[in-house]
Amino acid sequence: GEPRADGCNMFVVKDSSTNGAGGVWILSAKNKATYFDPELTPLQSYGGTKPSYVVQKYSYPLMLTDGRKTHIRIYGLLHTNSLGDAEPYLSKHAFLHVSNKKFVSYQGGDEDDGEIHISNCCANSGNEEAFAGEICVDLEQCSLNPDDANLYNTFGLIKQSVRSTLLAFSKYTSLSTPPKGYSQLSYLGIDVIVTKGSTTKVDILEINAPPSLDTATGIPAAEDTHSGNVGGIFRQFVLGLGGEGGDG
């Protein structure tokens, strides 16, 4: 096909049945012939007998951390009442996930190097020398990149984008509408990428329902982030005491 008008010549292909950065491929004009060749395509490497794939435009231009691709793991809650009305909540306590190698080009040529294009924390932790670690952030207090004015105060934009997506997503949650007088809580891990062109935008990569509560390193700060998010939900929605579980 024709190159994308925005200057980025890549797409991301993901096997919908996999997790932990498994079954993710970068597709560009330079390697597309391989993917359409039944003898060479890697697209049958993961999944079951009937794999399905999600194709997304490669986010452009990327928010970079020290020159490396970065996405944000946010934790949220979808609260549904017995009338089927849904209300999403987001925690301000999140993680930055950073690739192991510096980003090079939007035109392709290094598509097979996962350490450039994969920012999944658990996948990257295997390379201890390059791994950036589990970066814990408070999205209400931090600038995602102090050198880029477009990335100040991005939490409000993230909340708007994620909220609209979760409200649409609520119609497809696996659990049915709860009985009268009851409510349903769905704990979610939402991966987003912030792009920093002439206007700042948010791309939602995926929604994990539920997310893993394991950390890649077990460092106290990462464990505290998980515990704080889950504890906030328990205090606010189970005990009714309020707290940061619903600070989105």
Side-chain angles (χ1 to χ4, degrees), residues 45-103:
S45 299
Y46 293 84
T49 57
K50 295 182 179 180
S52 60
Y53 302 95
V54 176
V55 180
Q56 296 173 304
K57 291 182 178 180
Y58 201 100
S59 296
Y60 170 89
L62 293 170
M63 179 189 82
L64 302 176
T65 300
D66 189 27
R68 295 184 284 175
K69 181 178 177 180
T70 303
H71 83 262
I72 309 167
R73 162 54 68 91
I74 303 172
Y75 293 92
L77 182 77
L78 191 62
H79 176 230
T80 308
N81 64 22
S82 58
L83 299 177
D85 299 323
E87 183 64 27
Y89 297 82
L90 289 183
S91 173
K92 64 182 181 180
H93 301 292
F95 293 103
L96 295 188
H97 288 190
V98 180
S99 66
N100 282 350
K101 294 182 181 179
K102 291 191 175 184
F103 189 81

Short mmCIF file of all heavy atoms in Angstrom, two decimals, residues 45-103:
data_model
loop_
_atom_site.label_atom_id
_atom_site.label_comp_id
_atom_site.label_asym_id
_atom_site.label_seq_id
_atom_site.Cartn_x
_atom_site.Cartn_y
_atom_site.Cartn_z
N SER A 45 2.88 -18.49 14.53
CA SER A 45 3.78 -18.96 15.59
C SER A 45 3.11 -18.99 16.95
O SER A 45 3.57 -19.65 17.86
CB SER A 45 5.01 -18.04 15.66
OG SER A 45 5.71 -18.10 14.43
N TYR A 46 2.04 -18.21 17.13
CA TYR A 46 1.38 -18.12 18.43
C TYR A 46 -0.11 -18.40 18.25
O TYR A 46 -0.65 -18.37 17.16
CB TYR A 46 1.56 -16.71 19.02
CG TYR A 46 2.97 -16.37 19.40
CD1 TYR A 46 3.86 -15.89 18.46
CD2 TYR A 46 3.42 -16.54 20.71
CE1 TYR A 46 5.17 -15.57 18.80
CE2 TYR A 46 4.72 -16.22 21.06
CZ TYR A 46 5.59 -15.74 20.10
OH TYR A 46 6.87 -15.43 20.44
N GLY A 47 -0.77 -18.64 19.34
CA GLY A 47 -2.22 -18.80 19.31
C GLY A 47 -2.64 -20.22 19.03
O GLY A 47 -1.84 -21.14 18.89
N GLY A 48 -3.97 -20.39 18.92
CA GLY A 48 -4.53 -21.72 18.72
C GLY A 48 -4.70 -22.05 17.26
O GLY A 48 -4.01 -21.52 16.40
N THR A 49 -5.64 -22.93 16.98
CA THR A 49 -5.85 -23.36 15.61
C THR A 49 -6.50 -22.28 14.76
O THR A 49 -6.40 -22.30 13.55
CB THR A 49 -6.73 -24.62 15.58
OG1 THR A 49 -7.97 -24.34 16.25
CG2 THR A 49 -6.03 -25.77 16.27
N LYS A 50 -7.18 -21.33 15.42
CA LYS A 50 -7.81 -20.23 14.70
C LYS A 50 -7.36 -18.90 15.30
O LYS A 50 -8.12 -18.20 15.95
CB LYS A 50 -9.33 -20.34 14.75
CG LYS A 50 -9.89 -21.57 14.05
CD LYS A 50 -11.41 -21.58 14.12
CE LYS A 50 -11.96 -22.80 13.38
NZ LYS A 50 -13.46 -22.83 13.45
N PRO A 51 -6.10 -18.55 15.11
CA PRO A 51 -5.61 -17.29 15.70
C PRO A 51 -6.26 -16.09 15.05
O PRO A 51 -6.63 -16.10 13.88
CB PRO A 51 -4.10 -17.33 15.40
CG PRO A 51 -3.99 -18.20 14.20
CD PRO A 51 -5.07 -19.23 14.32
N SER A 52 -6.44 -15.04 15.84
CA SER A 52 -6.93 -13.77 15.32
C SER A 52 -5.94 -12.69 15.70
O SER A 52 -5.27 -12.78 16.73
CB SER A 52 -8.32 -13.46 15.87
OG SER A 52 -8.30 -13.39 17.28
N TYR A 53 -5.87 -11.67 14.89
CA TYR A 53 -4.86 -10.64 15.06
C TYR A 53 -5.48 -9.25 15.08
O TYR A 53 -6.49 -9.00 14.44
CB TYR A 53 -3.82 -10.73 13.94
CG TYR A 53 -3.14 -12.07 13.86
CD1 TYR A 53 -3.61 -13.04 12.99
CD2 TYR A 53 -2.07 -12.36 14.68
CE1 TYR A 53 -3.01 -14.29 12.94
CE2 TYR A 53 -1.46 -13.60 14.64
CZ TYR A 53 -1.93 -14.57 13.76
OH TYR A 53 -1.35 -15.79 13.73
N VAL A 54 -4.83 -8.38 15.84
CA VAL A 54 -5.20 -6.97 15.88
C VAL A 54 -4.09 -6.19 15.20
O VAL A 54 -2.90 -6.41 15.48
CB VAL A 54 -5.36 -6.48 17.33
CG1 VAL A 54 -5.66 -4.98 17.37
CG2 VAL A 54 -6.47 -7.26 18.04
N VAL A 55 -4.45 -5.31 14.28
CA VAL A 55 -3.47 -4.48 13.58
C VAL A 55 -3.70 -3.03 13.99
O VAL A 55 -4.82 -2.51 13.89
CB VAL A 55 -3.59 -4.62 12.05
CG1 VAL A 55 -2.56 -3.74 11.35
CG2 VAL A 55 -3.41 -6.08 11.63
N GLN A 56 -2.65 -2.39 14.48
CA GLN A 56 -2.72 -0.99 14.90
C GLN A 56 -1.66 -0.18 14.18
O GLN A 56 -0.57 -0.69 13.90
CB GLN A 56 -2.50 -0.86 16.41
CG GLN A 56 -3.55 -1.52 17.28
CD GLN A 56 -3.15 -1.48 18.75
OE1 GLN A 56 -2.09 -1.96 19.13
NE2 GLN A 56 -4.01 -0.92 19.59
N LYS A 57 -1.98 1.08 13.90
CA LYS A 57 -0.95 1.98 13.42
C LYS A 57 0.11 2.15 14.50
O LYS A 57 -0.20 2.23 15.68
CB LYS A 57 -1.55 3.35 13.09
CG LYS A 57 -2.46 3.38 11.88
CD LYS A 57 -2.95 4.80 11.63
CE LYS A 57 -3.82 4.87 10.40
NZ LYS A 57 -4.30 6.26 10.14
N TYR A 58 1.35 2.21 14.08
CA TYR A 58 2.44 2.49 15.02
C TYR A 58 2.27 3.92 15.51
O TYR A 58 2.11 4.84 14.71
CB TYR A 58 3.78 2.32 14.31
CG TYR A 58 4.95 2.07 15.23
CD1 TYR A 58 5.45 0.79 15.42
CD2 TYR A 58 5.57 3.12 15.90
CE1 TYR A 58 6.53 0.55 16.26
CE2 TYR A 58 6.64 2.90 16.74
CZ TYR A 58 7.12 1.60 16.92
OH TYR A 58 8.18 1.37 17.76
N SER A 59 2.29 4.12 16.82
CA SER A 59 2.08 5.46 17.37
C SER A 59 3.18 6.42 16.90
O SER A 59 4.36 6.04 16.86
CB SER A 59 2.06 5.41 18.90
OG SER A 59 0.97 4.64 19.35
N TYR A 60 2.79 7.64 16.58
CA TYR A 60 3.73 8.58 15.96
C TYR A 60 3.27 10.01 16.25
O TYR A 60 2.09 10.30 16.14
CB TYR A 60 3.77 8.33 14.46
CG TYR A 60 4.51 9.37 13.65
CD1 TYR A 60 5.88 9.24 13.43
CD2 TYR A 60 3.86 10.47 13.12
CE1 TYR A 60 6.57 10.19 12.68
CE2 TYR A 60 4.54 11.42 12.37
CZ TYR A 60 5.89 11.27 12.16
OH TYR A 60 6.57 12.21 11.43
N PRO A 61 4.21 10.91 16.58
CA PRO A 61 5.58 10.64 17.04
C PRO A 61 5.59 10.24 18.51
O PRO A 61 4.79 10.74 19.29
CB PRO A 61 6.29 11.97 16.82
CG PRO A 61 5.20 13.00 16.95
CD PRO A 61 3.94 12.36 16.47
N LEU A 62 6.46 9.34 18.86
CA LEU A 62 6.47 8.73 20.18
C LEU A 62 6.94 9.69 21.27
O LEU A 62 7.78 10.56 21.05
CB LEU A 62 7.41 7.52 20.19
CG LEU A 62 7.01 6.31 19.36
CD1 LEU A 62 8.18 5.34 19.30
CD2 LEU A 62 5.78 5.63 19.95
N MET A 63 6.40 9.49 22.48
CA MET A 63 7.02 10.03 23.67
C MET A 63 8.21 9.13 23.99
O MET A 63 8.04 7.91 24.11
CB MET A 63 6.05 10.03 24.83
CG MET A 63 6.65 10.58 26.13
SD MET A 63 5.58 10.34 27.57
CE MET A 63 5.97 8.63 27.98
N LEU A 64 9.38 9.68 24.10
CA LEU A 64 10.59 8.90 24.37
C LEU A 64 11.14 9.22 25.75
O LEU A 64 11.05 10.36 26.22
CB LEU A 64 11.66 9.18 23.32
CG LEU A 64 11.29 8.90 21.85
CD1 LEU A 64 12.42 9.32 20.92
CD2 LEU A 64 10.95 7.43 21.64
N THR A 65 11.70 8.24 26.41
CA THR A 65 12.41 8.41 27.67
C THR A 65 13.86 8.06 27.42
O THR A 65 14.18 6.92 27.10
CB THR A 65 11.83 7.50 28.77
OG1 THR A 65 10.44 7.82 28.97
CG2 THR A 65 12.58 7.69 30.08
N ASP A 66 14.74 9.05 27.52
CA ASP A 66 16.15 8.85 27.18
C ASP A 66 16.28 8.23 25.79
O ASP A 66 17.09 7.32 25.56
CB ASP A 66 16.82 7.96 28.23
CG ASP A 66 18.34 7.89 28.06
OD1 ASP A 66 18.92 8.86 27.53
OD2 ASP A 66 18.94 6.87 28.45
N GLY A 67 15.46 8.70 24.85
CA GLY A 67 15.54 8.22 23.48
C GLY A 67 14.86 6.89 23.24
O GLY A 67 14.93 6.35 22.13
N ARG A 68 14.17 6.34 24.24
CA ARG A 68 13.59 5.00 24.12
C ARG A 68 12.07 5.05 24.17
O ARG A 68 11.48 5.85 24.89
CB ARG A 68 14.15 4.08 25.22
CG ARG A 68 15.65 3.84 25.06
CD ARG A 68 16.17 2.85 26.09
NE ARG A 68 16.30 3.45 27.41
CZ ARG A 68 16.65 2.76 28.49
NH1 ARG A 68 16.91 1.47 28.40
NH2 ARG A 68 16.74 3.36 29.65
N LYS A 69 11.45 4.17 23.42
CA LYS A 69 9.99 4.08 23.36
C LYS A 69 9.43 3.84 24.76
O LYS A 69 9.97 3.04 25.54
CB LYS A 69 9.59 2.95 22.42
CG LYS A 69 8.09 2.77 22.25
CD LYS A 69 7.81 1.64 21.26
CE LYS A 69 6.32 1.37 21.13
NZ LYS A 69 6.04 0.26 20.17
N THR A 70 8.32 4.50 25.07
CA THR A 70 7.74 4.44 26.41
C THR A 70 6.23 4.31 26.33
O THR A 70 5.58 5.00 25.53
CB THR A 70 8.07 5.73 27.20
OG1 THR A 70 9.49 5.91 27.24
CG2 THR A 70 7.53 5.64 28.61
N HIS A 71 5.66 3.42 27.13
CA HIS A 71 4.21 3.45 27.32
C HIS A 71 3.90 3.50 28.81
O HIS A 71 4.77 3.26 29.65
CB HIS A 71 3.52 2.27 26.61
CG HIS A 71 3.50 0.97 27.36
ND1 HIS A 71 4.41 -0.04 27.13
CD2 HIS A 71 2.68 0.52 28.34
CE1 HIS A 71 4.15 -1.06 27.93
NE2 HIS A 71 3.11 -0.76 28.67
N ILE A 72 2.66 3.84 29.12
CA ILE A 72 2.24 4.01 30.50
C ILE A 72 1.25 2.92 30.86
O ILE A 72 0.28 2.69 30.13
CB ILE A 72 1.56 5.39 30.71
CG1 ILE A 72 2.46 6.51 30.16
CG2 ILE A 72 1.26 5.63 32.18
CD1 ILE A 72 1.73 7.84 30.05
N ARG A 73 1.49 2.22 31.97
CA ARG A 73 0.53 1.26 32.49
C ARG A 73 -0.27 1.95 33.60
O ARG A 73 0.28 2.32 34.64
CB ARG A 73 1.24 0.01 33.02
CG ARG A 73 0.41 -0.86 33.96
CD ARG A 73 -0.94 -1.31 33.40
NE ARG A 73 -0.84 -2.24 32.31
CZ ARG A 73 -0.83 -3.56 32.45
NH1 ARG A 73 -0.88 -4.09 33.66
NH2 ARG A 73 -0.78 -4.34 31.39
N ILE A 74 -1.56 2.12 33.33
CA ILE A 74 -2.46 2.75 34.27
C ILE A 74 -3.42 1.69 34.82
O ILE A 74 -3.82 0.77 34.09
CB ILE A 74 -3.26 3.87 33.58
CG1 ILE A 74 -2.31 4.89 32.96
CG2 ILE A 74 -4.21 4.57 34.55
CD1 ILE A 74 -3.01 5.90 32.10
N TYR A 75 -3.80 1.84 36.06
CA TYR A 75 -4.75 0.91 36.67
C TYR A 75 -6.10 1.62 36.87
O TYR A 75 -6.15 2.77 37.29
CB TYR A 75 -4.21 0.37 37.98
CG TYR A 75 -3.00 -0.50 37.73
CD1 TYR A 75 -1.72 0.05 37.77
CD2 TYR A 75 -3.15 -1.83 37.38
CE1 TYR A 75 -0.61 -0.74 37.48
CE2 TYR A 75 -2.04 -2.62 37.10
CZ TYR A 75 -0.77 -2.07 37.16
OH TYR A 75 0.32 -2.84 36.86
N GLY A 76 -7.15 0.92 36.51
CA GLY A 76 -8.47 1.51 36.58
C GLY A 76 -9.51 0.53 37.09
O GLY A 76 -9.24 -0.66 37.29
N LEU A 77 -10.68 1.08 37.29
CA LEU A 77 -11.80 0.30 37.79
C LEU A 77 -13.04 0.67 36.98
O LEU A 77 -13.28 1.85 36.71
CB LEU A 77 -12.04 0.62 39.26
CG LEU A 77 -13.16 -0.16 39.94
CD1 LEU A 77 -12.70 -1.57 40.26
CD2 LEU A 77 -13.60 0.54 41.22
N LEU A 78 -13.80 -0.33 36.57
CA LEU A 78 -15.07 -0.09 35.91
C LEU A 78 -16.17 -0.55 36.87
O LEU A 78 -16.29 -1.73 37.18
CB LEU A 78 -15.15 -0.86 34.60
CG LEU A 78 -16.31 -0.49 33.68
CD1 LEU A 78 -16.23 0.97 33.26
CD2 LEU A 78 -16.32 -1.38 32.44
N HIS A 79 -16.95 0.41 37.36
CA HIS A 79 -18.00 0.14 38.34
C HIS A 79 -19.34 0.12 37.62
O HIS A 79 -19.73 1.12 37.00
CB HIS A 79 -17.98 1.22 39.43
CG HIS A 79 -19.08 1.09 40.44
ND1 HIS A 79 -19.89 2.13 40.80
CD2 HIS A 79 -19.49 0.01 41.17
CE1 HIS A 79 -20.76 1.72 41.71
NE2 HIS A 79 -20.53 0.45 41.96
N THR A 80 -20.06 -0.99 37.67
CA THR A 80 -21.35 -1.14 36.99
C THR A 80 -22.43 -1.44 38.01
O THR A 80 -22.27 -2.34 38.84
CB THR A 80 -21.29 -2.27 35.94
OG1 THR A 80 -20.18 -2.08 35.08
CG2 THR A 80 -22.57 -2.30 35.12
N ASN A 81 -23.53 -0.66 37.96
CA ASN A 81 -24.62 -0.91 38.90
C ASN A 81 -25.67 -1.83 38.30
O ASN A 81 -25.54 -2.29 37.16
CB ASN A 81 -25.24 0.41 39.38
CG ASN A 81 -25.92 1.19 38.26
OD1 ASN A 81 -26.30 0.63 37.22
ND2 ASN A 81 -26.06 2.49 38.46
N SER A 82 -26.74 -2.10 39.06
CA SER A 82 -27.74 -3.07 38.62
C SER A 82 -28.59 -2.57 37.46
O SER A 82 -29.34 -3.34 36.85
CB SER A 82 -28.64 -3.45 39.80
OG SER A 82 -29.27 -2.30 40.34
N LEU A 83 -28.48 -1.27 37.14
CA LEU A 83 -29.19 -0.73 35.99
C LEU A 83 -28.35 -0.80 34.72
O LEU A 83 -28.80 -0.42 33.63
CB LEU A 83 -29.58 0.73 36.26
CG LEU A 83 -30.51 0.97 37.45
CD1 LEU A 83 -30.75 2.46 37.65
CD2 LEU A 83 -31.83 0.23 37.27
N GLY A 84 -27.11 -1.28 34.88
CA GLY A 84 -26.22 -1.36 33.75
C GLY A 84 -25.42 -0.10 33.50
O GLY A 84 -24.69 0.00 32.51
N ASP A 85 -25.56 0.89 34.38
CA ASP A 85 -24.80 2.14 34.25
C ASP A 85 -23.36 1.90 34.70
O ASP A 85 -23.12 1.34 35.77
CB ASP A 85 -25.43 3.24 35.10
CG ASP A 85 -26.86 3.55 34.68
OD1 ASP A 85 -27.14 3.51 33.46
OD2 ASP A 85 -27.69 3.82 35.57
N ALA A 86 -22.42 2.33 33.89
CA ALA A 86 -21.01 2.11 34.19
C ALA A 86 -20.31 3.44 34.46
O ALA A 86 -20.60 4.46 33.82
CB ALA A 86 -20.33 1.39 33.03
N GLU A 87 -19.36 3.41 35.40
CA GLU A 87 -18.55 4.59 35.70
C GLU A 87 -17.10 4.15 35.88
O GLU A 87 -16.80 3.30 36.72
CB GLU A 87 -19.04 5.28 36.98
CG GLU A 87 -18.29 6.56 37.31
CD GLU A 87 -18.47 7.65 36.26
OE1 GLU A 87 -19.51 7.66 35.57
OE2 GLU A 87 -17.56 8.48 36.10
N PRO A 88 -16.19 4.69 35.06
CA PRO A 88 -14.78 4.31 35.19
C PRO A 88 -14.04 5.21 36.17
O PRO A 88 -14.38 6.38 36.33
CB PRO A 88 -14.25 4.51 33.76
CG PRO A 88 -15.13 5.56 33.16
CD PRO A 88 -16.45 5.48 33.85
N TYR A 89 -13.03 4.63 36.81
CA TYR A 89 -12.15 5.36 37.71
C TYR A 89 -10.72 5.01 37.33
O TYR A 89 -10.43 3.87 36.95
CB TYR A 89 -12.39 4.96 39.16
CG TYR A 89 -13.77 5.30 39.68
CD1 TYR A 89 -14.85 4.46 39.42
CD2 TYR A 89 -13.99 6.46 40.42
CE1 TYR A 89 -16.13 4.77 39.89
CE2 TYR A 89 -15.26 6.77 40.89
CZ TYR A 89 -16.32 5.93 40.62
OH TYR A 89 -17.59 6.23 41.07
N LEU A 90 -9.82 5.98 37.47
CA LEU A 90 -8.40 5.74 37.20
C LEU A 90 -7.57 6.14 38.41
O LEU A 90 -7.86 7.14 39.05
CB LEU A 90 -7.93 6.54 35.99
CG LEU A 90 -8.40 6.14 34.61
CD1 LEU A 90 -7.76 7.03 33.56
CD2 LEU A 90 -8.09 4.69 34.33
N SER A 91 -6.55 5.35 38.66
CA SER A 91 -5.59 5.73 39.69
C SER A 91 -4.49 6.60 39.07
O SER A 91 -4.07 6.36 37.94
CB SER A 91 -4.96 4.49 40.32
OG SER A 91 -3.92 4.87 41.20
N LYS A 92 -4.04 7.57 39.83
CA LYS A 92 -2.94 8.42 39.36
C LYS A 92 -1.59 7.72 39.52
O LYS A 92 -0.58 8.18 38.99
CB LYS A 92 -2.93 9.74 40.12
CG LYS A 92 -2.66 9.59 41.62
CD LYS A 92 -2.73 10.94 42.33
CE LYS A 92 -2.44 10.79 43.82
NZ LYS A 92 -2.50 12.10 44.51
N HIS A 93 -1.55 6.61 40.25
CA HIS A 93 -0.29 5.90 40.50
C HIS A 93 -0.09 4.86 39.40
O HIS A 93 -0.85 3.90 39.29
CB HIS A 93 -0.33 5.24 41.88
CG HIS A 93 -0.53 6.23 42.99
ND1 HIS A 93 0.42 7.16 43.33
CD2 HIS A 93 -1.60 6.46 43.82
CE1 HIS A 93 -0.02 7.91 44.33
NE2 HIS A 93 -1.24 7.50 44.64
N ALA A 94 0.93 5.04 38.60
CA ALA A 94 1.11 4.26 37.38
C ALA A 94 2.57 3.88 37.21
O ALA A 94 3.43 4.23 38.03
CB ALA A 94 0.61 5.07 36.17
N PHE A 95 2.86 3.16 36.12
CA PHE A 95 4.22 2.78 35.76
C PHE A 95 4.55 3.32 34.38
O PHE A 95 3.70 3.34 33.48
CB PHE A 95 4.37 1.25 35.71
CG PHE A 95 4.26 0.55 37.02
CD1 PHE A 95 3.10 -0.13 37.36
CD2 PHE A 95 5.30 0.55 37.93
CE1 PHE A 95 2.98 -0.80 38.57
CE2 PHE A 95 5.21 -0.11 39.14
CZ PHE A 95 4.04 -0.79 39.47
N LEU A 96 5.80 3.73 34.19
CA LEU A 96 6.33 3.95 32.85
C LEU A 96 7.08 2.69 32.44
O LEU A 96 7.95 2.20 33.18
CB LEU A 96 7.30 5.14 32.82
CG LEU A 96 6.75 6.53 33.12
CD1 LEU A 96 7.82 7.58 32.85
CD2 LEU A 96 5.49 6.82 32.34
N HIS A 97 6.75 2.13 31.28
CA HIS A 97 7.45 0.97 30.74
C HIS A 97 8.27 1.44 29.54
O HIS A 97 7.74 2.06 28.62
CB HIS A 97 6.45 -0.11 30.30
CG HIS A 97 5.79 -0.81 31.44
ND1 HIS A 97 5.02 -1.94 31.27
CD2 HIS A 97 5.80 -0.57 32.78
CE1 HIS A 97 4.58 -2.35 32.45
NE2 HIS A 97 5.04 -1.53 33.37
N VAL A 98 9.56 1.13 29.57
CA VAL A 98 10.51 1.70 28.61
C VAL A 98 11.24 0.57 27.89
O VAL A 98 11.63 -0.43 28.50
CB VAL A 98 11.53 2.61 29.35
CG1 VAL A 98 12.52 3.22 28.37
CG2 VAL A 98 10.79 3.71 30.11
N SER A 99 11.44 0.73 26.58
CA SER A 99 12.16 -0.27 25.80
C SER A 99 13.63 -0.31 26.22
O SER A 99 14.15 0.63 26.84
CB SER A 99 12.04 0.02 24.31
OG SER A 99 12.69 1.22 23.99
N ASN A 100 14.32 -1.37 25.84
CA ASN A 100 15.72 -1.53 26.25
C ASN A 100 16.71 -0.79 25.37
O ASN A 100 17.82 -0.50 25.80
CB ASN A 100 16.08 -3.02 26.24
CG ASN A 100 15.54 -3.75 27.46
OD1 ASN A 100 15.06 -3.14 28.41
ND2 ASN A 100 15.63 -5.08 27.43
N LYS A 101 16.31 -0.50 24.12
CA LYS A 101 17.23 0.18 23.20
C LYS A 101 16.60 1.45 22.68
O LYS A 101 15.38 1.59 22.64
CB LYS A 101 17.58 -0.74 22.02
CG LYS A 101 18.38 -1.97 22.37
CD LYS A 101 18.71 -2.76 21.11
CE LYS A 101 19.50 -4.02 21.41
NZ LYS A 101 19.78 -4.79 20.17
N LYS A 102 17.44 2.37 22.24
CA LYS A 102 16.96 3.66 21.73
C LYS A 102 16.24 3.49 20.39
O LYS A 102 16.62 2.67 19.56
CB LYS A 102 18.11 4.65 21.61
CG LYS A 102 18.66 5.08 22.96
CD LYS A 102 19.61 6.25 22.85
CE LYS A 102 20.04 6.72 24.25
NZ LYS A 102 20.89 7.92 24.19
N PHE A 103 15.19 4.30 20.24
CA PHE A 103 14.41 4.28 19.02
C PHE A 103 15.22 4.91 17.89
O PHE A 103 15.94 5.88 18.09
CB PHE A 103 13.10 5.03 19.23
CG PHE A 103 12.15 4.89 18.10
CD1 PHE A 103 11.35 3.76 17.98
CD2 PHE A 103 12.06 5.87 17.12
CE1 PHE A 103 10.47 3.62 16.92
CE2 PHE A 103 11.18 5.74 16.07
CZ PHE A 103 10.39 4.61 15.96
#
